[in-house]
Amino acid sequence: MTDVIAQGSAPAAVGATKHATKVAAKRDELARAALRTLSELGYARTSLREIAANSEYSHGVLHYYFADRLELIAHCVHLYKSECIASYDDVLRADDDAESLRTRFAERLAATMEHDLATHKLWYDLRSQAMFETALIDDVRAIDGELEDMIRRVVARYAELAGAVPLLDSAGTYAALDGPFERAVRRRVRGDDRAATDLTAQVHALLGVLVVRPD
């Protein structure tokens, strides 16, 4: 009897898994469609209706997959940041040397800032809003944690290649590099053409002082 129940429930389980996969894919699709409007208008001025008016999807469809704009906005930024973090996977290479990694990472941060400026602007907007919107806290904390871990891996590898150790813990290292990155975003938003060049130089210099050689 138990075997019969198990066999009968298997198709249902497979069907539920397929449905969940389709729902997740649709949520990602809607989030990517909404990202342009969010990046242009920012958190405060964006509603589900505004997103619907600037995309091919109706307000009803958006509301079916997301409870409210907070959930959609958080999903948009989390999706992008996850993809952004994944884009740094090739920064670490097995046959690397310290200086090559240092240069490549500094250049990659600047290129990412330049290429995805609108989304980075939205991320910092959302992170600030999390101090006032409790519904955003968990998502922002999760994204911050992923970014911190990515930075930690790079700096730890650079320290290893340089025969050194990180000067700060992972939170301090993340803060040290996130500050110049956010400032570069703000400068570029204002039209400063030197923001990326300066960020590259700053990150390159920072990596040199964020590790110390043991006595």
Side-chain angles (χ1 to χ4, degrees), residues 11-58:
V14 171
T17 300
K18 287 183 177 179
H19 176 70
T21 300
K22 287 182 179 179
V23 169
K26 189 64 176 181
R27 280 166 61 88
D28 287 353
E29 177 186 331
L30 294 172
R32 288 189 177 92
L35 195 54
R36 180 173 60 85
T37 301
L38 286 164
S39 298
E40 290 174 355
L41 299 181
Y43 169 84
R45 294 191 295 159
T46 301
S47 65
L48 288 182
R49 292 191 183 280
E50 192 71 43
I51 293 169
N54 288 282
S55 73
E56 60 183 291
Y57 303 103
S58 69

Side-chain angles (χ1 to χ4, degrees), residues 18-192:
K18 287 183 177 179
H19 176 70
T21 300
K22 287 182 179 179
V23 169
K26 189 64 176 181
R27 280 166 61 88
D28 287 353
E29 177 186 331
L30 294 172
R32 288 189 177 92
L35 195 54
R36 180 173 60 85
T37 301
L38 286 164
S39 298
E40 290 174 355
L41 299 181
Y43 169 84
R45 294 191 295 159
T46 301
S47 65
L48 288 182
R49 292 191 183 280
E50 192 71 43
I51 293 169
N54 288 282
S55 73
E56 60 183 291
Y57 303 103
S58 69
H59 176 265
V61 169
L62 291 172
H63 201 64
Y64 176 81
Y65 285 95
F66 296 97
D68 51 34
R69 71 174 187 135
L70 287 176
E71 186 179 352
L72 173 56
I73 292 172
H75 191 77
C76 283
V77 177
H78 200 287
L79 177 67
Y80 169 73
K81 282 295 183 182
S82 296
E83 294 174 348
C84 177
I85 291 167
S87 73
Y88 284 87
D89 287 346
D90 66 337
V91 168
L92 299 178
R93 301 176 185 174
D95 59 346
D96 229 341
D97 61 80
E99 189 55 33
S100 295
L101 174 56
R102 182 181 183 182
T103 299
R104 185 166 58 254
F105 181 60
E107 292 176 348
R108 182 68 62 83
L109 276 180
T112 300
M113 184 278 297
E114 187 81 41
H115 184 265
D116 297 307
L117 181 66
T119 310
H120 290 303
K121 181 176 70 172
L122 176 61
W123 159 241
Y124 286 117
D125 182 16
L126 186 65
R127 196 167 72 174
S128 296
Q129 291 295 331
M131 292 189 288
F132 307 97
E133 292 278 6
T134 56
L136 294 174
I137 291 175
D138 288 343
D139 288 296
V140 166
R141 184 182 291 121
I143 296 169
D144 255 336
E146 292 170 6
L147 290 168
E148 179 181 323
D149 191 55
M150 182 270 288
I151 295 293
R152 178 196 59 76
R153 292 196 304 271
V154 172
V155 174
R157 178 58 176 159
Y158 172 70
E160 179 185 2
L161 292 169
V165 294
L167 176 65
L168 305 171
D169 63 11
S170 63
T173 300
Y174 173 45
L177 289 167
D178 183 61
F181 190 90
E182 181 177 6
R183 184 170 183 272
V185 168
R186 293 180 185 278
R187 286 177 59 189
R188 195 68 188 91
V189 166
R190 296 195 299 266
D192 189 338

